[in-house]
Amino acid sequence: MLLWLLEEKNWTPARKRITELLSKENATVRDNAELRSKVIVPQSSVKMVLPAKIGDYTDFYSSKEHATNVGTMFRGADNALMPNWLHLPVGYHGRASSVVVSGTPLHRPMGQLKPEDAPPVWGPCRLLDFEIEMGYFVGPGNDLGQRIKIENAEEQIFGVVLMNDWSARDVQKWEYVPLGPFCGKNFGTTISPWVVTLDALEPFRIKGYDQSEPPVLEYLQDSSDASYDVALSASIKAKNMDSPAVISNTNFKYMYWSMKQQLTHHSSTGCNMRPGDLCASGTISGTTPDSYGSMLELTWRGSKPVTLPNGEQRKFLQDGDTCVINGYAQGDGFRVGFGDCSGEVLPAIL
């Protein structure tokens, strides 16, 4: 069913028809108890699964605030952004096999760790982190050798999900030069089971960042309102806490590179995108410390621990912690929600 929606771009008429059938003015479902019992079931009685069989997964690095924060930590404020960052959407090819649906627990990864002034050692990750992101599923896709142009890119985006790009910061730090993320990222990526189409987000379009200085190349130039006002948060629930505590509030609008630009650049070489491919925004951080989208930033590399309501402090995630990412777009008298994107940290398998 989903493949049919994606390949033929049938999601707009399908959404319209479902909306009509569920409208209180439509008697088709409203006045037919037998039909209603078949088509509407309690969420508590069903098992949520991945919304698509993901063939390929690409993660971008498109929040200017996040890239600036991380660059400042490791290279200094004068050299925070790499020379290419304002010219193209930076990204890497991730691991599709370990993308899991919300509620799936993940084991703390093992990996190579590099102590200061000592040889590398093998052991459990010590600096486990979350990243607040949003992902989007590709629709029809393009043939090998063909490109998705910026003016057609939106037609290729089926819809968006919440995402937690779990990160082993110490593993990542040792391995990422010269080819970028590998084992520090491949042990798990959590997404919400609900796909919210761009049709549903239409009322929340906003203007993106000014990209006139330096000017982006022509194939990435886009004058449309291609950003979205979606409130996002991250919470932590320790073992002895009754409910998660919010530690970050940010927004999808903090994206320098839009989904359209990401997809356009991804296919600019003739790379063929396929129905069900997943792309991710990269960590979304705002302009204030309470809106940073990762523990790395919130605690500034562990130098400013976060204090939870139970008095415990966190520099990074501990075993037994559950991280929950939520998101919604707030309209006038209505709200578009995205469901939960949650996962518990289990101990490493030694």
Side-chain angles (χ1 to χ4, degrees), residues 12-54:
T12 295
R15 178 179 182 272
K16 180 180 179 181
R17 182 55 178 156
I18 292 170
T19 301
E20 291 173 352
L21 290 171
L22 295 180
S23 170
K24 64 181 181 180
E25 288 81 20
N26 191 314
T28 304
V29 176
R30 184 195 67 197
D31 296 344
N32 188 328
E34 181 180 359
L35 176 61
R36 194 165 60 248
S37 67
K38 292 180 180 179
V39 300
I40 302 178
V41 296
Q43 182 178 331
S44 59
S45 68
V46 300
K47 179 182 179 181
M48 296 296 175
V49 297
L50 285 173
K53 183 176 181 180
I54 301 165

Side-chain angles (χ1 to χ4, degrees), residues 329-350:
Q330 184 63 54
D332 185 10
F334 71 99
R335 174 178 288 192
V336 176
F338 291 79
D340 282 347
C341 177
S342 67
E344 180 185 359
V345 178
L346 300 180
I349 301 176
L350 302 178

Side-chain angles (χ1 to χ4, degrees), residues 45 207 279 343:
S45 68
K207 192 72 176 175
C279 295

